[in-house]
Amino acid sequence: MRGAHTYGFNGISAGISLLGDYENGGTPTTAAKQAIADLAAWKLGLDGVDPQAKVTLTAAGDTGVYQTGEKATLNTISGHRDGYATLCPGQKLYDALPEIRYHRRRLPLRRTLTPAQLLQRTTAPGADPWPRGGRCGREQYGRCSGRG
C-alpha cells in the first residue's frame, strides 16, 4: 500500500497525521507531540534510521516545491511543506519538529542504516527490500506476524 501524504515522495516515505489547525492559533499538546515522536520511533526504528539525519530523495512528480526528477534533501522527520506546496502541518506543529526529532533520538535504534543505505536497498532495480528471508523478511527482529 502506498500512502498519499506527500505527492512526489510517497514511495519512500511514511506520513503521520495530527488533526487540528496548527496554522491559525492551534497548539499541539505535549501528549500529541510525544505520540508523534513515539510513532516515528517505531517506524524509523524498524530500519535504524536516525531521526536527526537528512535524506536525499528524487521527486517523482511536480510538487510545487520540487520538479519531477529534482533532488530534495529533507530531514528524516520533515513537515509536509518541506516536500509539497502547502501550509501543512501548520507553523506551530512545524516549529515543534526539532523537539520531536530530539525526543525520538533519545529512544534506541534497532539497527543502524543511513537514509541513503535504506533508499538504495529499497529502490535498486530488482532489489528485495527485505532480503533477510521469510514472508515479510522481518521475523528475526520480532516484527512479522507471518501472515504477510
Side-chain angles (χ1 to χ4, degrees), residues 8 13 20 25 30 42 53 56-57 62 77 92 103-104 109 117 136-137:
S13 62
T30 299
W42 167 78
T56 300
L57 305 174
D62 180 4
I77 299 177
K92 290 280 190 175
H103 284 293
R104 164 52 191 108
L109 300 175
Q117 289 169 327
C136 78

Side-chain angles (χ1 to χ4, degrees), residues 69-80:
E70 188 175 353
K71 301 284 186 190
T73 299
L74 305 167
N75 290 302
T76 55
I77 299 177
S78 292
H80 191 181

Side-chain angles (χ1 to χ4, degrees), residues 3 19 22-23 33 51 59 102 120-121 128 130 134 136 143 145 148:
L19 299 180
Y22 304 109
E23 185 67 29
K33 292 184 287 187
Y102 170 77
Q120 181 180 19
R121 184 184 76 193
D128 176 1
W130 306 109
C136 78
R143 294 182 306 278
S145 67

